[in-house]
Amino acid sequence: MESLKKKIQVEGIVLSSEVLKVDSFLNHQMDPSLMKQIGEEFAKRFRGENVTKIVTVESSGIGPALMTAYEMNVPLIFARKRKSLTLKNDVYTAKVFSFTKQEETEISISQKFISEHDRILMIDDFLANGQAALGLIEIIRQARAHLVGVGIVIEKAFQAGGEQLRRRGIRVESLVRVQSLKDGKVTFLEEVTAQ
Amino acid sequence: MESLKKKIQVEGIVLSSEVLKVDSFLNHQMDPSLMKQIGEEFAKRFRGENVTKIVTVESSGIGPALMTAYEMNVPLIFARKRKSLTLKNDVYTAKVFSFTKQEETEISISQKFISEHDRILMIDDFLANGQAALGLIEIIRQARAHLVGVGIVIEKAFQAGGEQLRRRGIRVESLVRVQSLKDGKVTFLEEVTAQ
């Protein structure tokens, strides 16, 4: 997605060979027109898949996920994150380890919002180690729903998450794939439609 | 806003005389068409105010705030919440006490995204005790920006927040105002345009 690549090139800040800061348009300040374009792009790529629900994890996934849900005319569910494990009967939960924060959180979705009849599209802002995605997949499995695929705004292709999901046969659509952040520079992989 | 009132009447669950659960369309599962209508309504009410930025607090404010930002064609900033006070030089911070969770969190916005030239519209899903709003107002004050007003999806008019903000001369626009949740029933106040 060329407009997104440009935005990253102009406004993205490479903090280290692992960390790309995009807080001016994606995960602190948000560019609503870009979010709308992102929603349209995901809707286009997953059209024909009969998606019934979009899921994401709070907070920075909500923007792209909401615009996708709007384009596809289906509800969006954002999983809640919390630190402590409070067992509840009416939620599906999964543990997610954050390498950035070096802590384990628990994500949860109310059972009443996903069922075995759902065809779910997962949307997130970043894919790095894939921990959040694996947590959501676990929740979707518990609900016996069908995962149609995963839509990612920025994939850090040099980290293991994307490979891990694709190896499991999951369709991952990343709008841009970053090959490297070495020498303070963002290098993109060619956009591919992985199946 | 009639469509919102109807949604609350049909899907809202009164958990107690203080708690209204609207997680089927607003703050866990989200109805994107309703969010779009909400954004249009806020944009209409604050048109002519030369708003330059929308601010909200993660996570459930992001949906309505993003749609408002899209309609007004301005960036959205969502304040980050965290439990511990980590002093940083490049962020504005404020403390927010949550009565629901009985804990104090800190909210923060990167200094580079708000300046004294900004005319800010604050959007949030709920207004109850007004703690989150007061925290954001404190951040806007630190940045010497101008607060144009506050747009609220659901105001619990029987709690002190709305009154407190209006007494300070702040324009509060609530799409619906709930007068009472007594006897398991949602009673609305007439919609007013408070100045």
Side-chain angles (χ1 to χ4, degrees):
Chain A
M1 194 176 154
E2 285 310 311
S3 57
L4 178 61
K5 273 189 190 168
K6 250 176 223 152
K7 197 85 174 177
I8 292 170
Q9 272 156 342
V10 174
E11 297 187 24
I13 299 165
V14 178
L15 286 185
S16 73
S17 63
E18 306 237 307
V19 182
L20 173 64
K21 200 171 178 177
V22 288
D23 66 348
S24 72
F25 61 91
L26 185 58
N27 50 22
H28 182 29
Q29 183 167 256
M30 258 192 216
D31 177 335
S33 302
L34 182 65
M35 291 307 119
K36 183 72 161 33
Q37 285 173 48
I38 286 170
E40 287 164 1
E41 181 65 26
F42 282 134
K44 199 176 80 185
R45 294 196 189 189
F46 288 98
R47 198 150 282 157
E49 283 283 5
N50 299 317
V51 170
T52 60
K53 300 242 164 146
I54 308 285
V55 299
T56 189
V57 179
E58 63 179 351
S59 295
S60 38
I62 296 175
L66 176 61
M67 287 305 194
T68 308
Y70 179 74
E71 291 301 321
M72 301 188 95
N73 199 24
V74 295
L76 152 71
I77 304 155
F78 59 95
R80 294 284 193 175
K81 266 183 213 162
R82 52 190 168 181
K83 247 173 230 170
S84 58
L85 185 83
T86 336
L87 270 181
K88 280 172 110 190
N89 285 328
D90 54 352
V91 293
Y92 298 117
T93 63
K95 287 177 186 174
V96 172
F97 184 77
S98 163
F99 286 95
T100 323
K101 296 183 187 163
Q102 285 291 313
E103 68 180 24
E104 191 175 78
T105 54
E106 192 202 35
I107 59 172
S108 65
I109 289 183
S110 180
Q111 291 186 3
K112 62 184 170 183
F113 298 133
I114 318 181
S115 80
E116 57 191 318
H117 305 298
D118 279 314
R119 294 178 57 82
I120 292 181
L121 170 59
M122 185 190 306
I123 299 287
D124 214 350
D125 58 336
F126 267 97
L127 177 61
N129 291 294
Q131 296 302 301
L134 290 172
L136 279 179
I137 289 167
E138 167 56 22
I139 283 176
I140 291 164
R141 192 197 59 76
Q142 288 171 29
R144 297 166 190 228
H146 179 73
L147 177 66
V148 159
V150 177
I152 297 294
V153 180
I154 301 175
E155 177 181 343
K156 295 200 274 181
F158 56 89
Q159 289 182 308
E163 181 57 25
Q164 218 175 334
L165 296 180
R166 292 182 181 100
R167 242 195 342 246
R168 290 174 65 161
I170 295 168
R171 179 178 171 196
V172 181
E173 292 281 347
S174 301
L175 301 186
V176 304
R177 301 181 74 195
V178 174
Q179 184 173 32
S180 148
L181 295 171
K182 278 183 189 146
D183 307 320
K185 214 176 131 263
V186 185
T187 312
F188 295 105
L189 268 183
E190 282 308 292
E191 256 176 72
V192 292
T193 299
Q195 188 72 48
Chain B
M1 197 176 153
E2 284 310 310
S3 57
L4 179 60
K5 274 189 190 168
K6 247 174 227 157
K7 198 86 173 173
I8 293 170
Q9 273 158 339
V10 174
E11 297 188 24
I13 298 166
V14 178
L15 286 185
S16 72
S17 62
E18 307 236 308
V19 182
L20 173 65
K21 199 169 179 179
V22 287
D23 67 348
S24 72
F25 61 91
L26 186 59
N27 50 23
H28 182 29
Q29 182 167 256
M30 259 192 217
D31 177 336
S33 302
L34 182 65
M35 294 305 121
K36 184 71 160 38
Q37 284 175 47
I38 285 170
E40 287 165 359
E41 180 66 26
F42 283 134
K44 200 176 79 184
R45 294 196 189 190
F46 289 97
R47 198 150 281 157
E49 284 283 5
N50 299 315
V51 170
T52 61
K53 300 240 163 147
I54 309 286
V55 299
T56 190
V57 180
E58 62 180 354
S59 297
S60 38
I62 295 174
L66 177 61
M67 287 305 195
T68 309
Y70 180 74
E71 291 300 321
M72 301 188 95
N73 199 23
V74 295
L76 152 71
I77 304 155
F78 61 94
R80 292 285 193 174
K81 265 183 216 163
R82 50 190 170 184
K83 246 177 230 167
S84 59
L85 185 82
T86 335
L87 270 181
K88 280 173 109 190
N89 285 326
D90 55 351
V91 293
Y92 299 116
T93 63
K95 288 176 185 172
V96 171
F97 184 76
S98 163
F99 286 95
T100 323
K101 296 183 188 165
Q102 285 290 314
E103 67 180 24
E104 192 176 77
T105 54
E106 194 201 33
I107 59 170
S108 65
I109 289 183
S110 180
Q111 292 187 2
K112 63 184 171 182
F113 298 133
I114 320 182
S115 81
E116 57 191 319
H117 306 297
D118 279 315
R119 294 178 58 81
I120 291 181
L121 170 58
M122 183 191 306
I123 299 287
D124 214 349
D125 58 336
F126 267 97
L127 177 61
N129 293 292
Q131 298 301 300
L134 291 171
L136 279 178
I137 288 168
E138 166 58 20
I139 283 176
I140 291 165
R141 193 197 59 76
Q142 288 171 31
R144 296 167 191 232
H146 178 72
L147 177 66
V148 159
V150 177
I152 297 293
V153 180
I154 301 175
E155 178 182 343
K156 295 201 273 181
F158 56 88
Q159 289 182 307
E163 181 57 24
Q164 218 176 334
L165 297 179
R166 290 182 181 101
R167 242 191 347 242
R168 291 174 66 161
I170 294 167
R171 179 179 172 195
V172 181
E173 293 279 348
S174 301
L175 301 187
V176 304
R177 301 180 75 197
V178 174
Q179 185 173 31
S180 148
L181 295 172
K182 280 184 188 143
D183 306 322
K185 213 177 130 261
V186 185
T187 313
F188 296 105
L189 267 182
E190 281 308 292
E191 255 177 71
V192 293
T193 300
Q195 189 74 48

